[in-house]
Amino acid sequence: MAFKRVEDSEVFLSVLMQPSHSNFGGKIHGGYILSLMDQIAFACASKHSGAYCVTASVDTVDFRNPIEIGELVTMKASVNYVGRSSMVVGIRVESENIQTGTVKHCNSSYFTMVAKGEDGKSVTVPGLLLEREMDVRRFHKSIKRIELKKTHQEAYRQLDALADDSLEQLKGYNVKLNLPQEYE
Ligand code: GDP
């Protein structure tokens, strides 16, 4: 099939947060949430592409609200964008206090997944059939995010070119310089 509907690869996941998933502070470990997000991104991308998929990158995971033991975490995922062999899977993570019914938005993240063939080479994925206004909005948002990322990567590359004379610029930061004399 040349184009597939967004709805056909949607994935939902609800997990009750167990004490074994908590960190030393008694909140749910961010690494555990990330692992669940990676699983749902994999399932969603595999559904769309019909292929084995790998995670290529993850766009901003800001933990907005801590998750407590006993809460019900729900993740909703859908394909936002497709390239030739890549797909951007958007995931919304919410956590519900099942006694009070209060729902918190924990984070929204965008995973770039790549479809692979049995030989490990990237394979072409079906296009995306955009049927709802929200599908179009998310596709546009992904294009913008990809453009911003390219600009960002260029800025990062320039960081490598920074010379030692940038030491002056460290004044005002929470550091104390204790370098060998040849740097001074
Ligand atoms: P948005 O990307 O600007 O729409 O930000 P949101 O925080 O609302 O959602 C983040 C991502 O989670 C979206 O891009 C979708 O991929 C996914 N998502 C959000 N709501 C739903 C939903 O009701 N169903 C499914 N399948 N995915 C959703």
Side-chain angles (χ1 to χ4, degrees), residues 10 12 76-78 80 90-92 105 108 110 137-138 141:
E10 285 181 323
F12 302 90
K76 303 175 198 169
S78 70
N80 283 194
I91 307 170
R92 186 177 173 94
H105 178 205
S108 291
Y110 303 89
R137 180 180 64 77
R138 286 175 179 157
K141 212 173 140 186

Side-chain angles (χ1 to χ4, degrees), residues 83-144:
R84 192 194 70 80
S85 61
S86 70
M87 291 151 283
V88 173
V89 175
I91 307 170
R92 186 177 173 94
V93 182
E94 291 176 343
S95 184
E96 179 183 356
N97 177 317
I98 43 183
Q99 277 83 36
T100 64
T102 308
V103 176
K104 292 177 292 194
H105 178 205
C106 301
N107 73 68
S108 291
S109 306
Y110 303 89
F111 280 53
T112 301
M113 310 297 291
V114 176
K116 298 278 180 186
E118 281 180 8
D119 55 2
K121 292 200 176 118
S122 303
V123 294
T124 305
V125 301
L128 203 56
L129 193 58
L130 306 176
E131 297 177 305
R132 301 168 295 185
E133 180 272 327
M134 136 180 104
D135 299 341
V136 176
R137 180 180 64 77
R138 286 175 179 157
F139 199 92
H140 269 302
K141 212 173 140 186
S142 288
I143 295 172
K144 284 278 159 230

Side-chain angles (χ1 to χ4, degrees), residues 12-13 16 19 21 47-48 51-52 72 82 84 90-91 99 105 116 121 125 151-153 176-177 180 184:
F12 302 90
L13 177 78
L16 193 62
H21 298 132
K47 252 178 132 174
H48 179 79
Y52 170 74
L72 184 68
V82 297
R84 192 194 70 80
I91 307 170
Q99 277 83 36
H105 178 205
K116 298 278 180 186
K121 292 200 176 118
V125 301
T151 315
H152 201 220
Q153 277 168 344
K176 181 177 173 188
L177 293 178
E184 290 173 2

